[in-house]
Amino acid sequence: MEPLASIRWSVLTLVIVVSLLIQPSFSIYCDEDDCYDLLGVTQSANASEIKKSYYKLSLKHHPDKNPDPESKKLFVKIANAYEILKDEATREQYDYAIAHPEEVFYNTARYYHAYYGHKTDTRAVLVGLLLVLSGFQYLNQWTRYNQAIDMVKKTPAYKNKLKAMELERTGGVTNKKKGKQQINKQMEEDLSKELELQIKGAEKPSLWELIGVRVVLLPYTVGKLLLWYGHWFWRYQVKQDSYSWQDASYLTRRSLGVPFDSWRNIDESTKDDLVERRLWEKPNFENYLAEMRKESKRRR
C-alpha cells in the first residue's frame, strides 16, 4: 500500500505543478493584463507612441500627483508595461508569447533569461545546483541505508546472531522472566548498533561520495589518477615487476566485472583464491569460466 500511496502523491504533485505552469505564457509579463492595454496603445504602435503614452499616464497616476491607492497600483503596472515594451528584444518576446500562448515553457524560459540571466553569476548557479543535488543524494543514501538495515534486522540470521551476542554478553544467562523471545531493550539497541557495522552492503553514507565533493576534488582526483597510471606503466610495463597483491586484486576485479563495493564484501580466502588464478590472463579466465559452468550444471 505504501508504494501506491507514494505514487498517488507524486502524480498529484506533478498535476498541481503542471497546472500552475500551464497558463497563458504572456501573463508572466504584465500579470493578467495586456501590456499594450495598460499603456493605452495598440500592438502596432511605434516606440514614440508608446513613450508618449507612458509619460502621459505616469503623470496622471504618479503617487505624488494622485494619492489614490488604486492609482498607485496602476502606476506600478504602467511602469512595468513600459519597461517591457520600450525594449525591442523584450517587446518581440512579448509579441511572440501573445501569438504562441501554447509554448508555455519556451516563453517562460525566454522571459526569465531576459530579466534574470544577466544578473545571475553562472558560478553561483553551478554551486547552488551542486548543493541541491548533493543534498538530495545524501538524503537518498540515508533512506536506502536505513531500509537495508531494517530489512536485514528482520531476517532469522540477524535475530539468531543478536541472541548469540546477548548470551555472550551475559555469560550464557538469559532472562527467564521475559521469556526466550524477549531481549532487554537497552541491550538490543547496543547490540544492534554493533551489528550494523558488520552488515555487508549497507555502509553508512559518506560525504566523500557526494557529487558536490567529487566535483570540488576533481582536479586532485585526475592528478592522482594520472600519477597512478604513470606508476603502473613504469613498474609493470617498463620494469616488468610482479604485480602486488593490491594491483593483482584490481586486475582480478576488473576481469570479473565486479564493482569495488561488492569486491570488498567478498571474504579474504575467496579473494586470495581468485587472485592466485591470475584471471586477467585470457587462458586462465576462460578456464575459470569453464569451471563455473561445470559447477552450475552439477548443482542443477
Side-chain angles (χ1 to χ4, degrees):
M1 294 300 291
E2 290 183 2
L4 290 176
S6 177
I7 292 173
R8 291 195 191 99
W9 276 109
S10 300
V11 171
L12 180 60
T13 303
L14 180 62
V15 169
I16 294 173
V17 171
V18 172
S19 65
L20 290 174
L21 289 175
I22 299 181
Q23 54 180 318
S25 52
F26 55 82
S27 66
I28 60 177
Y29 288 87
C30 293
D31 295 328
E32 300 300 325
D33 299 307
D34 185 294
C35 295
Y36 291 103
D37 290 343
L38 286 171
L39 293 178
V41 296
T42 62
Q43 193 170 349
S44 60
N46 58 38
S48 177
E49 291 172 336
I50 291 174
K51 184 176 182 180
K52 183 178 179 180
S53 179
Y54 165 68
Y55 280 123
K56 181 179 178 181
L57 291 172
S58 63
L59 287 174
K60 178 180 178 181
H61 297 285
H62 196 281
D64 293 340
K65 302 283 186 178
N66 194 334
D68 185 8
E70 294 299 322
S71 185
K72 181 179 179 180
K73 294 179 181 179
L74 183 57
F75 174 79
V76 174
K77 291 184 177 182
I78 291 170
N80 178 60
Y82 179 65
E83 288 295 321
I84 292 169
L85 299 181
K86 74 174 183 178
D87 183 80
E88 292 184 4
T90 53
R91 182 180 179 181
E92 183 273 328
Q93 292 178 9
Y94 179 64
D95 290 343
Y96 185 90
I98 293 176
H100 303 85
E102 73 283 356
E103 299 181 18
V104 178
F105 297 104
Y106 176 70
N107 292 325
T108 303
R110 293 182 75 192
Y111 170 80
Y112 285 109
H113 180 268
Y115 279 89
Y116 301 106
H118 64 285
K119 300 177 183 179
T120 306
D121 189 340
T122 306
R123 293 169 295 181
V125 174
L126 180 59
V127 171
L129 180 61
L130 288 175
L131 288 174
V132 171
L133 290 176
S134 298
F136 278 113
Q137 181 186 7
Y138 194 64
L139 290 175
N140 180 58
Q141 288 178 351
W142 267 109
T143 301
R144 295 176 60 185
Y145 170 75
N146 290 328
Q147 288 176 346
I149 294 297
D150 291 339
M151 289 179 64
V152 171
K153 287 183 177 180
K154 293 177 182 178
T155 60
Y158 180 89
K159 294 177 180 179
N160 290 337
K161 194 166 186 178
L162 195 65
K163 291 179 181 178
M165 292 182 70
E166 182 202 17
L167 292 173
E168 183 180 348
R169 288 276 185 91
T170 58
V173 179
T174 58
N175 193 335
K176 296 182 180 180
K177 292 182 179 179
K178 294 185 178 181
K180 295 182 180 180
Q181 299 294 328
Q182 298 181 354
I183 301 176
N184 181 274
K185 292 298 181 181
Q186 184 62 43
M187 180 174 291
E188 183 177 357
E189 291 179 5
D190 295 340
L191 298 180
S192 296
K193 291 178 182 178
E194 186 174 335
L195 279 176
E196 281 180 13
L197 302 176
Q198 304 174 20
I199 296 176
K200 296 181 178 180
E203 292 78 12
K204 286 187 177 181
S206 172
L207 293 176
W208 298 104
E209 298 298 323
L210 298 181
I211 185 173
V213 177
R214 289 193 171 189
V215 169
V216 172
L217 297 177
L218 184 60
Y220 167 78
T221 304
V222 172
K224 187 177 180 180
L225 185 63
L226 292 174
L227 183 63
W228 182 82
Y229 272 115
H231 175 75
W232 183 284
F233 180 79
W234 173 257
R235 185 174 182 181
Y236 300 124
Q237 299 298 323
V238 178
K239 297 178 65 177
Q240 298 291 317
D241 287 346
S242 299
Y243 291 114
S244 66
W245 190 91
Q246 185 177 3
D247 292 337
S249 297
Y250 164 74
L251 291 172
T252 303
R253 179 170 60 83
R254 191 177 66 174
S255 300
L256 294 172
V258 178
F260 177 71
D261 290 339
S262 300
W263 178 260
R264 285 193 305 176
N265 294 328
I266 299 175
D267 60 88
E268 294 300 324
S269 59
T270 304
K271 287 182 184 178
D272 291 336
D273 178 62
L274 293 172
V275 170
E276 289 176 1
R277 288 172 174 264
R278 300 178 66 85
L279 298 179
W280 57 89
E281 297 177 1
K282 190 174 181 180
N284 297 338
F285 184 69
E286 290 176 349
N287 291 335
Y288 173 76
L289 291 179
E291 290 179 14
M292 291 298 101
R293 293 192 191 100
K294 290 180 180 179
E295 180 66 20
S296 178
K297 290 180 180 179
R298 187 185 66 80
R299 290 180 178 178
R300 290 177 186 175

